[in-house]
Amino acid sequence: MSEWTAIILAAGQGKRMKSALPKVLHPLAGLPMIHYVVEAAMGAGAREVVVVVGHGREPVVSYLEATFGGRVRVAIQEEQLGTGHAARCALPQLPPEARGTFLLYGDTPLLEASLLRRLAQAWEARPGAPLAMVTCLLDDATGYGRVLRGESGDVKAIREQRDCSAEEAAVREVNPGVYLFSTDFLREALPSLKAQNAQGEYYLTDTIEMAAPRGLATVLGDAGQLRGINDRAQLDEAEEELYQRVAARWRREGSTIRRGARIEATVELAEDCTVEHGAVLRGKTRLGAGARIDVGSVVEDSEVGAGAVVKPYSVLVKARVGAGAQIGPMAHLRPGSEIGEEAHVGNFVETKNTVMHRGAKANHLAYLGDGEIGEGSNIGAGTIFCNYDGFQKHRTRLGARVFIGSDSQLVAPITIGDGAYVATGTTVTRDVPADGLAIGRTPQQNKEGYASRLRGRLQAQAQAAKGAKGG
Ligand code: UD1
Ligand code: MG
C-alpha cells in the first residue's frame, strides 16, 4: 500500500519555448524535463505518478511508458482550462488508498526529492491541515502567484499576478507550485473551483483559500531548485545547474571532473576517473575505475574500461574499450567498435563494427571497418579495410600477431592467418596463410646518375620557356 501518490501537470503547450517539441520533453543534461519531476516525486515516496498531458501528448506518453512503465499513469486534459482543471482530470486515476497527493508542475526540473520529504514532514506536524505547500522568497516575483498571509502569519490565499492589487503585487513570497494535498480534500475541492479571474481559468491555487480556515503547513524552499522553465534562457540556466549537480555527485564519489566537462545524468562512473575540460559524456556511457577522458572528447553510449585513456578530441559512439586501452588523440570509434584490453587506436584512425583483440595496435591513419583483428597484431599507417563493394559490406579477418605494413589495402572479404606479414604498400585480394608473406609491388629499379641528367634536362626546358616568353 502506498501512502503517497503524485500528480504532475504537463498539459500546457509551453508557447514561450517556440518549439515543435512539447516543453516537458526538452532535454536537460540528457533527460527530458518531465523525467526529473517524476523522479523527484518517486524519490519522495510516491509509488505511482499521474501525469496530466494534453498539448502534443503522444511523444510525452510514449516517453513515460517506455521509461517508467506502469509506475506512471496518464490523464488527458483535452482543453487547457487551467491548473485546477488539469488536476481535476487526474482524480479518477488516483489510487484510492493514497492519503496524500503531491501536486507538481512538469516544468520545474530542479526540484529535489529531499524538499518533498520536508514538505511531508511539515504536513505530518500539522494534523488536520488539508494541505502543505512550499513557498519561496524572490527579489523579482514577476509572473508568480503571491502568497498572502493573515494577521496570525498563516497563509490565507494565493493571488495570481494578474489578479493582484498593487499592494499584493509587492509581496515577495511566491508560490513555486509544489504542494502536498490530503487526497480527500483534493477530491472535494477541485470540482467546486470557479473560473472567476482575469484569465477565466480554473486555478488550482484557489484551493488554498478554501483550505485556509483549517490551517495549512508551509515550508520555505530554496529559490534555486524551484525555478520554472518557460523559455530557452531558463532552460539553459537550469541545465547548467543540473550539470553542476552531476559533476558534484561524481566528485563526491571520488572522480576528478574538471570545470567545463559535461556529464549527462544517465552516465555512470566508477571511482577515480578523470574527465577533462570540454569532454562530453552522453547517454548510457560507463567509465571503469581510473579511466581518463581527455580534453574535447565526446563519448556517447559507450563503455570505457578501467584505466583506459581516451586522449584529446576523440569521438566514441556505441563503442566498447577494454581496460588499459589507449584511444586517440583524434580517433573515431563508431558503433560496434570493440577495442580489447591494452589495445591502441591512434590519431586519425576510424573503426566501425570492428573487434580488436587484446594488445592489437593501429597507431596512425587507418580505416578499419567490419573487421576482426587478432591479439597483438599491428596495423601500419595508412591501412584501409576495403569493406564495401558499392552494394554489400564484407569482413576482414586478421589472426593473432599479424603485421600489416603501411599503406596497405585489404580488399574484403579476406582472411589473414596468424603471424602473417603483409608488405608495405600491398593491395591484398587473396587470403594469406598463417605465417605467410603477401607482397604485391612492382619491382624497384635504380638508375645510377639519372637524377643529375634529369635535373639538367628540366632546367634547360625551363630556360627555353622563359626565353620564348621574354622575346
Ligand atoms: C502557476 C501558478 C502560480 C505559480 C506558478 C509557478 C496557478 C493558477 N498558478 O502559474 O501561482 O506561481 O505556476 O510556476 O496554478 N497546465 C496544465 N493544464 C492547464 C494549465 C497548465 O496542465 O490547463 C500545466 C502546465 O503545463 C504547467 C503547469 O500546469 O506545467 C503550470 O502552468 P502555467 O501556465 O505555467 O502556470 P503559471 O502561470 O506559471
Ligand atoms: Mg509556469
Side-chain angles (χ1 to χ4, degrees):
M1 200 199 83
S2 68
E3 198 177 16
W4 309 126
T5 188
I7 299 174
I8 299 173
L9 306 187
Q13 179 179 2
K15 282 200 194 93
R16 283 167 284 176
M17 296 297 284
K18 298 190 180 156
S19 176
L21 191 67
K23 176 162 85 172
V24 294
L25 286 189
H26 275 261
L28 297 104
L31 288 170
M33 202 182 293
I34 187 78
H35 187 104
Y36 293 97
V37 189
V38 172
E39 290 248 291
M42 287 176 173
R47 209 184 58 183
E48 63 288 284
V49 173
V50 184
V51 179
V52 183
V53 296
H55 196 90
R57 63 179 176 256
E58 285 83 8
V60 181
V61 173
S62 324
Y63 179 81
L64 293 172
E65 277 174 359
T67 311
F68 298 103
R71 290 192 68 190
V72 170
R73 301 175 187 181
V74 164
I76 294 168
Q77 185 193 27
E78 292 289 354
E79 255 189 295
Q80 278 72 70
L81 303 177
T83 50
H85 179 258
R88 191 176 166 182
C89 293
L91 287 180
Q93 306 277 3
L94 291 184
E97 73 278 9
R99 189 159 68 88
T101 301
F102 290 108
L103 217 154
L104 312 170
Y105 298 155
D107 63 357
T108 50
L110 300 179
L111 180 66
E112 289 177 290
S114 54
L115 179 61
L116 297 180
R117 287 194 290 264
R118 265 175 64 205
L119 188 62
Q121 280 164 10
W123 191 49
E124 299 285 22
R126 187 130 189 196
L131 71 103
M133 66 175 289
V134 175
T135 72
C136 78
L137 294 170
L138 293 182
D139 290 333
D140 178 7
T142 310
Y144 286 89
R146 308 297 201 276
V147 176
L148 307 183
R149 290 183 183 263
E151 302 282 290
S152 63
D154 274 0
V155 173
K156 277 191 323 194
I158 307 282
R159 190 85 72 234
E160 290 309 298
Q161 171 152 324
R162 298 216 216 176
D163 304 301
C164 277
S165 66
E167 194 189 332
E168 289 165 344
V171 171
R172 287 175 48 238
E173 187 178 16
V174 304
N175 168 34
V178 178
Y179 324 84
L180 173 56
F181 281 92
S182 136
T183 309
D184 288 342
F185 172 74
L186 202 59
R187 284 207 176 91
E188 162 199 323
L190 290 177
S192 63
L193 289 176
K194 304 252 174 345
Q196 283 155 1
N197 48 58
Q199 301 193 82
E201 287 187 356
Y202 296 91
Y203 285 168
L204 176 65
T205 42
D206 286 351
T207 59
I208 309 301
E209 200 162 350
M210 295 156 83
R214 287 192 255 167
L216 42 88
T218 58
V219 162
L220 189 65
D222 164 31
Q225 63 167 290
L226 293 165
R227 277 175 286 174
I229 312 272
N230 295 308
D231 58 32
R232 309 259 184 160
Q234 291 167 332
L235 183 78
D236 173 64
E237 280 173 27
E239 184 173 51
E240 187 57 35
E241 164 68 23
L242 286 167
Y243 276 129
Q244 300 289 348
R245 280 188 200 171
V246 172
R249 169 178 168 210
W250 294 120
R251 288 180 188 124
R252 279 198 303 277
E253 301 281 326
S255 282
T256 295
I257 313 298
R258 304 273 187 224
R259 283 188 203 180
R262 288 271 177 271
I263 304 177
E264 290 187 348
T266 43
V267 170
E268 300 276 345
L269 273 61
E271 67 281 1
D272 231 350
C273 295
T274 302
V275 183
E276 288 289 345
H277 178 88
V280 179
L281 308 187
R282 294 187 180 139
K284 297 190 184 81
T285 292
R286 306 274 176 272
L287 302 191
R292 175 189 181 87
I293 310 296
D294 216 323
V295 176
S297 289
V298 178
V299 183
E300 184 170 315
D301 294 329
S302 295
E303 279 174 38
V304 178
V309 178
V310 176
K311 297 177 192 174
Y313 301 105
S314 297
V315 176
L316 283 65
V317 180
K318 293 189 166 68
R320 288 220 315 256
V321 173
Q326 295 197 28
I327 308 299
M330 289 164 286
H332 186 187
L333 308 190
R334 292 170 50 204
S337 297
E338 293 190 25
I339 311 303
E341 291 180 16
E342 308 291 337
H344 291 188
V345 175
N347 40 201
F348 306 110
V349 174
E350 173 182 350
T351 64
K352 186 217 69 177
N353 198 22
T354 285
V355 181
M356 242 172 125
H357 290 281
R358 188 188 173 82
K361 294 191 173 98
N363 275 324
H364 336 264
L365 297 167
Y367 173 61
L368 311 174
D370 299 300
E372 175 155 3
I373 300 164
E375 198 170 317
S377 288
N378 190 84
I379 312 281
T383 296
I384 295 173
F385 287 7
C386 307
N387 60 328
Y388 187 47
D389 59 16
F391 297 92
Q392 288 188 71
K393 302 285 172 67
H394 303 282
R395 290 195 74 77
T396 296
R397 292 192 177 82
L398 272 56
R401 296 171 313 283
V402 165
F403 183 93
I404 307 292
S406 299
D407 195 28
S408 295
Q409 301 88 48
L410 310 185
V411 182
I414 198 116
T415 301
I416 306 209
D418 290 347
Y421 255 73
V422 168
T424 294
T426 299
T427 301
V428 185
T429 54
R430 283 184 293 132
D431 290 352
V432 182
D435 204 35
L437 168 76
I439 179 161
R441 311 172 181 150
T442 31
Q444 178 175 332
Q445 299 174 38
N446 286 349
K447 300 188 178 183
E448 297 213 10
Y450 195 101
S452 56
R453 292 204 301 278
L454 179 64
R455 271 192 294 273
R457 205 168 70 220
L458 294 174
Q459 201 172 16
Q461 279 173 6
Q463 264 164 10
K466 214 167 155 191
K469 249 192 201 166

